[in-house]
Amino acid sequence: MSAVAVALAPAATEPATACAHCGLPAGGGQFCCAGCEAAFATIQGLGLGRYYRQRVLDRQARAPRPEAHAPRDFSRYVTTDAAGNATLTLAVDGLQCGACVWLIESVLAQEPDLLLGRVNLTTRRLRLVWRGGAARAEALVARAEALGYRLMPFDPALLAAARDRTGRALIRALAVAGFAAGNVMLMSAATWFGLTQGMGPATRALMHWVSALIALPAIAYAGMPFFRSAFAALRQRRTNMDVPISVGVILVSAMSLVESFRGGLHTYFDSAITLLFFLLLGRVLDHQARGQARATAEHLLTLRAADVAVLQPDGGTRRVAHDAVAPAARVLVGMGERVGVDGVVEDGHSTLDASLVTGESVPAAVAPGAAVFAGTLNLGPALIVRATATGARTLLAECVRLIEAAEARRGRFVVLADRVARRYAPAVHILAAATFVFWWVVMGAGVADSLLTAAAVLIITCPCALALAVPAVQVLATSRLLRAGILVKSATALERLAQVDTIVFDKTGTLTEPMPTPLAEADADAWRTAASLAAASRHPLARALHAAMPDVPAARGAEEHPGRGIALAVAGGTVRLGSRAFCDLPAAPAATTELWLARPGRAPVRFGFEERLREDAAQVVAGLRALGLAVVLASGDQAVPVRRIAALLGITDVHAACTPADKVALIERLRGGGRHVLMAGDGLNDGPSLAAAHVSVSPATAADISQTVADVVFQGARLAPVVEVLRLARRARSAMRQNLALAIGYNALMVPLAAAGLVTPWLAAIAMSSSSLLVLGNSFRLQGRARRWT
């Protein structure tokens, strides 16, 4: 075996025992995680251990060998700042709602040396900052994993795979619960009608046992997401919303099983499985609403070159990781490669697609001495770049940090979920316990009847309607927008869009068309000559020039000089199309982007390029003002073209020559003044400001990174979708408030009836289901004919 292979070989570990539930390595214990322990206890409690034993054996046969798993070393992913504080960013698998966020953060807050423990529900990231060395990471991770969540080094691919697995598991659980609920309800209906039609005890008992055979396995399977979460919370001596749900389902199932053994008149398997069906429906909707959440910083990181070709003293190259490049190293960037470092061009002439940095669609010409940045794409010949910043010190990495800092802000619904999680579950438990004591002690009812009344309270107070109130509106509204060519990527974007009172526009590619319009006071011969030369180039300005006269054939023998222009040798001299310097003209400032045509014996001709406003830009700006919004223009362009566009649109609040930090500072000032800012832009230079804004939109013609960062992406050549999404967001906010009012009103009406013993568990399930359907019906009012913007 080679030395490299030996070095990469995993270290030997002690043999790990198999988990008693899933069969995966358990690390020397009986279970691999708290979730499996909860699942095992639930299955045993329902008497289904023998049913699952063969499944465990099958999983053990398929599981990887324990010795193939090396212990995780999180200390490798820890970074330390100048103050000695350690930072670790992890992906969290198993997050369901704001209660999960509160539970993880409240447990980690007990660690005395922890400075920050923040969970981002949208991106499912946990960021830890603590005093001390990297070795402390293992203990902090263990505290979070003890709650039943799985933590892993942040890897977008792993997180996407985990999210897909969770989605598929929820769909399977929903399908099982729906199938079982439909069949058990049929059995229950037959039993109810049989009570008035003289059904005999033997037939009734058969119906009850058939219902049990259908319901109990389905409850054990479909209830796992709730049972695991509840068990993990109880292990930490805490409660969450899943605890009363689990208690109610298990209590009703156990009581029904007892009644089946006793030959009683009533069982309530239908109540338990119907309850799970509607709970899972809410969770699936929520998962889908959050499944399109943006993955901003991780997409930014994919723009970095996987490795970099570093020139060696002997003239050869050695490819190393981008963060392993030493400062002042000489890097070779070939055609079609992304620049992996920030640096200065030392040798070579080329053009770079810098739209991810500048936001401008026109590639930039670079020559020796020009500054280049990581993430830009080399469109021409190879360059030699002297590195000035590498790894985490590049502009690209700085944009990542700005976006992560902006995303760390808490949404209003997350804060509300935290409060509900702290108060809802204890209140429900106290109410159910008080109901049981009242009926058993005060009213003298039997234990079974008192338990059923308490179970009815647990079921009827289930937050099904509350769980559906927001996700249902989000899914239906976003599906309508999607039919109109508007993609809403963030689960909380609609709520934030409804609060917008200020919109900040970028100029190029947002208010204007991506393709500039060539302008020149020239004769037809000059236009044809310029178009024929331009046809031989792929430069965007050349393409725009040729698009003005598409029937003109390309000039034969034209030679392109990257970053400078195109030349064609003719009788009497050379025809040139390009920059002032390329055409041997004196330097002079220009108000717009330009190309020059120089022909032997003729005066040079200037072709200016005017950016065209989107077709309905002025109408949209007027419409936004009609909605009561303040409109701001902030661009990285120079003052002259920016103010010209602002004048055409009637925008008076104008900011030109803005760097990414300037745009973020502008948005922070607006937010500091109490404004809710919508940012509309494209390009990497807009990435931090898109993330810093209260909510953000981007056109589909924008750079990929802007579409990734933005909460909303709209298609088509028009700006009208911006107005459409704002209007629908306000309607969605009204629907959310109505749904919440319906859900709260339902509880205020039905809970006293259940506590008074006027509602049985099956009636509680019907009432709970009706409230959920009422909320869904109100949400469906958002569906309508969507207009497709083209």
Side-chain angles (χ1 to χ4, degrees):
M1 182 180 293
S2 67
V4 174
V6 172
L8 295 178
T13 59
E14 293 295 327
T17 59
C19 175
H21 175 66
C22 69
L24 295 176
Q30 187 179 2
F31 303 98
C32 65
C33 63
C36 284
E37 185 175 354
F40 186 85
T42 303
I43 291 169
Q44 295 296 325
L46 293 175
L48 300 175
R50 181 178 299 176
Y51 176 82
Y52 275 81
R53 191 167 300 151
Q54 186 59 44
R55 191 190 73 162
V56 172
L57 293 175
D58 293 341
R59 285 193 174 186
Q60 289 177 349
R62 296 193 303 266
R65 294 179 60 84
E67 55 269 24
H69 291 263
R72 294 177 297 173
D73 180 13
F74 289 102
S75 62
R76 295 183 301 161
Y77 306 97
V78 175
T79 59
T80 305
D81 59 20
N85 297 325
T87 301
L88 176 63
T89 302
L90 300 167
V92 185
D93 185 21
L95 285 180
Q96 300 294 345
C97 60
C100 298
V101 174
W102 168 77
L103 181 61
I104 294 174
E105 292 184 352
S106 61
V107 169
L108 291 174
Q110 300 174 5
E111 297 296 318
D113 53 352
L114 188 68
L115 301 176
L116 176 68
R118 178 61 59 85
V119 178
N120 188 314
L121 181 61
T122 302
T123 57
R124 302 195 179 195
R125 278 184 287 186
L126 169 62
R127 186 167 182 260
L128 300 171
V129 181
W130 68 91
R131 299 187 190 93
R136 187 80 175 91
E138 303 295 335
L140 294 173
V141 170
R143 286 300 304 272
E145 288 192 327
L147 300 174
Y149 304 97
R150 181 172 174 242
L151 272 62
M152 65 194 83
F154 189 79
D155 183 330
L158 291 177
L159 189 58
R163 189 162 48 242
D164 290 343
R165 287 196 302 270
T166 301
R168 289 194 296 269
L170 287 174
I171 292 294
R172 288 195 298 267
L174 177 65
V176 169
F179 172 80
N183 285 276
V184 173
M185 287 297 290
L186 289 175
M187 295 291 177
S188 298
T191 304
W192 299 335
F193 287 114
L195 293 176
T196 61
Q197 301 295 324
M199 178 183 288
T203 304
R204 184 174 62 249
L206 176 63
M207 292 290 189
H208 289 167
W209 280 111
V210 172
S211 297
L213 290 174
I214 297 174
L216 289 179
I219 290 170
Y221 181 81
M224 281 304 164
F226 310 100
F227 300 154
R228 290 172 178 169
S229 174
F231 187 77
L234 293 174
R235 284 189 62 187
Q236 298 297 318
R237 299 181 181 180
R238 288 174 171 78
T239 60
N240 59 18
M241 285 191 243
D242 289 334
V243 172
I245 292 172
S246 301
V247 171
V249 169
I250 293 175
L251 181 60
V252 171
S253 301
M255 288 295 300
S256 299
L257 192 60
V258 171
E259 287 296 305
S260 297
F261 277 112
R262 291 175 52 191
L265 289 177
H266 302 289
T267 58
Y268 308 101
F269 296 113
D270 52 347
S271 301
I273 192 63
T274 304
L275 171 66
L276 284 177
F277 172 76
F278 282 100
L279 284 170
L280 286 166
L281 178 60
R283 190 153 290 186
V284 167
L285 289 174
D286 179 67
H287 182 81
Q288 290 179 349
R290 289 192 283 112
Q292 298 177 347
R294 60 180 180 251
T296 55
E298 56 267 27
H299 185 79
L300 274 172
L301 294 175
T302 63
L303 294 177
R304 298 185 299 196
D307 52 22
V308 177
V310 178
L311 288 170
Q312 302 300 300
D314 60 1
T317 60
R318 182 171 64 91
R319 303 200 73 88
V320 300
H322 62 86
D323 54 358
V325 179
R330 300 171 72 234
V331 174
L332 177 65
V333 183
M335 177 182 288
E337 285 188 341
R338 291 199 180 273
V339 180
V341 297
D342 288 359
V344 177
V345 176
E346 191 174 85
D347 188 21
H349 294 78
S350 186
T351 54
L352 294 181
D353 179 0
S355 59
L356 296 171
V357 176
T358 65
E360 303 303 319
S361 59
V362 179
V366 293
V372 296
F373 300 96
T376 55
L377 183 65
N378 184 17
L379 301 177
L383 295 172
I384 296 178
V385 177
R386 176 76 66 177
T388 58
T390 63
R393 294 178 293 276
T394 63
L395 174 65
L396 187 63
E398 178 63 22
C399 287
V400 172
R401 286 190 289 270
L402 286 170
I403 291 171
E404 287 181 337
E407 284 183 331
R409 296 190 185 94
R410 288 304 185 87
R412 184 161 60 96
F413 277 121
V414 175
V415 175
L416 178 62
D418 288 350
R419 295 175 181 173
V420 171
R422 297 181 185 183
R423 295 176 174 85
Y424 174 83
V428 171
H429 296 154
I430 292 172
L431 181 60
T435 301
F436 172 76
V437 171
F438 174 81
W439 282 98
W440 185 38
V441 176
V442 178
M443 302 301 295
V447 174
D449 292 336
S450 300
L451 282 174
L452 286 176
T453 304
V457 171
L458 286 172
I459 293 173
I460 212 164
T461 55
C462 168
C464 291
L466 284 171
L468 288 169
V470 176
V473 173
Q474 290 173 338
V475 170
L476 293 172
T478 53
S479 65
R480 173 180 173 175
L481 290 172
L482 186 61
R483 293 198 305 271
I486 305 169
L487 173 63
V488 180
K489 298 165 53 185
S490 171
T492 61
L494 287 174
E495 180 223 351
R496 290 179 281 129
L497 282 164
Q499 299 171 337
V500 167
D501 53 26
T502 303
I503 180 167
V504 177
F505 278 109
D506 177 48
K507 179 179 67 67
T508 304
T510 305
L511 290 174
T512 65
E513 296 285 356
M515 180 80 73
T517 303
L519 300 173
E521 295 180 0
D523 55 28
D525 181 65
W527 275 100
R528 284 194 297 271
T529 302
S532 65
L533 290 173
S537 173
R538 295 184 58 82
H539 193 282
L541 293 182
R543 291 203 303 267
L545 192 58
H546 184 257
M549 301 189 73
D551 296 332
V552 175
R556 294 184 178 181
E559 180 182 359
E560 183 171 6
H561 299 263
R564 293 182 289 172
I566 308 166
L568 175 65
V570 297
T574 303
V575 179
R576 297 175 182 268
L577 176 69
S579 64
R580 280 179 171 269
F582 183 66
C583 295
D584 297 325
L585 298 174
T592 61
T593 304
E594 63 182 10
L595 289 177
W596 285 85
L597 175 66
R599 296 169 293 177
R602 297 192 183 186
V605 178
R606 178 184 180 273
F607 292 89
F609 290 85
E610 180 183 22
E611 294 175 308
R612 294 175 296 179
L613 286 173
R614 288 183 183 259
E615 177 185 351
D616 59 344
Q619 179 183 352
V620 166
V621 171
L624 293 172
R625 288 201 180 98
L627 291 175
L629 274 66
V631 182
V632 181
L633 176 57
S635 175
D637 277 1
Q638 298 303 310
V640 173
V642 173
R643 293 192 180 280
R644 183 182 64 82
I645 294 295
L648 292 174
L649 297 174
I651 300 174
T652 57
D653 192 350
V654 182
H655 303 264
C658 295
T659 65
D662 291 336
K663 291 186 179 182
V664 172
L666 170 63
I667 290 175
E668 293 293 350
R669 285 198 303 272
L670 292 171
R671 297 191 67 174
R675 300 291 188 91
H676 295 90
V677 181
L678 167 64
M679 175 66 191
D682 64 337
L684 181 59
N685 63 324
D686 294 318
S689 54
L690 287 168
H694 189 61
V695 65
S696 55
V697 300
S698 180
T701 54
D704 289 344
I705 187 57
S706 293
Q707 298 181 47
T708 305
V709 174
D711 298 298
V712 179
V713 175
F714 62 90
Q715 299 177 358
R718 308 183 68 195
L719 275 176
V722 176
V723 180
E724 171 74 10
V725 74
L726 288 170
R727 287 175 176 165
L728 187 61
R730 294 183 178 185
R731 288 185 57 198
R733 178 176 60 181
S734 297
M736 290 179 190
R737 291 174 175 174
Q738 293 165 4
N739 286 349
L740 290 172
L742 288 171
I744 294 172
Y746 152 78
N747 280 280
L749 175 65
M750 299 303 299
V751 169
L753 296 178
L758 300 177
V759 179
T760 61
W762 67 270
L763 282 176
I766 292 177
M768 177 272 301
S769 302
S770 300
S771 68
S772 301
L773 293 174
L774 187 62
V775 165
L776 286 173
N778 184 59
S779 302
F780 270 104
R781 293 192 304 111
L782 290 174
Q783 292 284 63
R785 185 175 181 180
R787 180 177 179 181
R788 185 81 182 184
W789 303 101
T790 57

